[in-house]
Amino acid sequence: MKFIGIALGAALSAVATAACADVVRHPIPNSTFPIAQAVTVTGNTTTVYVSGQVPPAINKDADPSSPQAYGDTRTQTVGVLNRIKGILEGQGLGMGDVVKMQVFLVHSASAPMDFKAFMEGYTQFFGGSQPNLPARSVVGVAALANPGFLVEIEVIAAKDTNKDSK
């Protein structure tokens, strides 16, 4: 009977250990660029996939299919990331829980994507006071669903139960 108790205790301990999420962020070697080279998520964790978000209108008087309605690339980036932040908070997560980000920036020969402005908005959320960096891709696209949109971002977040991630 004592053996069964020990075996049961060991099994429950193994289950409890497996239930802990472990999120490990692997930095880019010898770099201060504010993204992770890779992020490993292990354990039994909740993963949230946030659909692509677009910027909110900031000028209700402007044509809703023009960039003037949504702002420049920096303004749109901040607006999109604030939307994502709100969605994550509604799920009990924070920006520090983002493990993967896919960014779409409008790019054409006549109007190249403004990566510098994107980074100015992005670093308001990642790399400063919030050090948990996601793995990230930035892709130049010909257009988004609305001609006024310059930025669309989708993310994957995973809860790290061992650290505060807000």
Side-chain angles (χ1 to χ4, degrees):
M1 196 63 155
K2 187 174 183 180
F3 175 73
I4 293 174
I6 292 171
L8 182 59
L12 289 175
S13 176
V15 168
T17 300
C20 279
D22 189 19
V23 177
V24 179
R25 295 162 196 276
H26 308 279
I28 299 171
N30 305 313
S31 175
T32 59
F33 197 68
I35 66 171
Q37 181 175 10
V39 178
T40 304
V41 180
T42 61
N44 185 14
T45 183
T46 299
T47 304
V48 176
Y49 299 84
V50 179
S51 293
Q53 298 297 305
V54 294
I58 60 165
N59 181 353
K60 306 288 186 202
D61 296 328
D63 176 356
S65 65
S66 72
Q68 292 74 23
Y70 307 96
D72 60 12
T73 299
R74 182 186 171 284
T75 301
Q76 289 195 24
T77 299
V78 170
V80 170
L81 290 174
N82 275 321
R83 279 192 162 169
I84 290 170
K85 181 179 179 184
I87 291 167
L88 291 173
E89 288 173 351
Q91 299 293 319
L93 301 168
M95 294 300 269
D97 295 309
V98 174
V99 296
K100 174 68 171 118
M101 178 182 292
Q102 181 74 36
V103 179
F104 304 94
L105 297 179
V106 172
H107 173 77
S108 70
S110 62
M113 74 168 104
D114 192 347
F115 185 75
K116 181 178 184 240
F118 162 75
M119 286 300 295
E120 289 170 359
Y122 171 85
T123 54
Q124 291 182 34
F125 295 83
F126 298 95
S129 61
Q130 193 295 99
N132 294 341
L133 303 176
R136 188 190 80 198
S137 299
V138 178
V139 179
V141 296
L144 294 169
N146 178 322
F149 298 155
L150 302 174
V151 179
E152 182 171 342
I153 302 173
E154 61 184 42
V155 301
I156 300 171
K159 187 63 177 173
D160 184 340
T161 59
N162 300 319
K163 297 178 183 138
D164 181 25
S165 57
K166 303 286 180 193

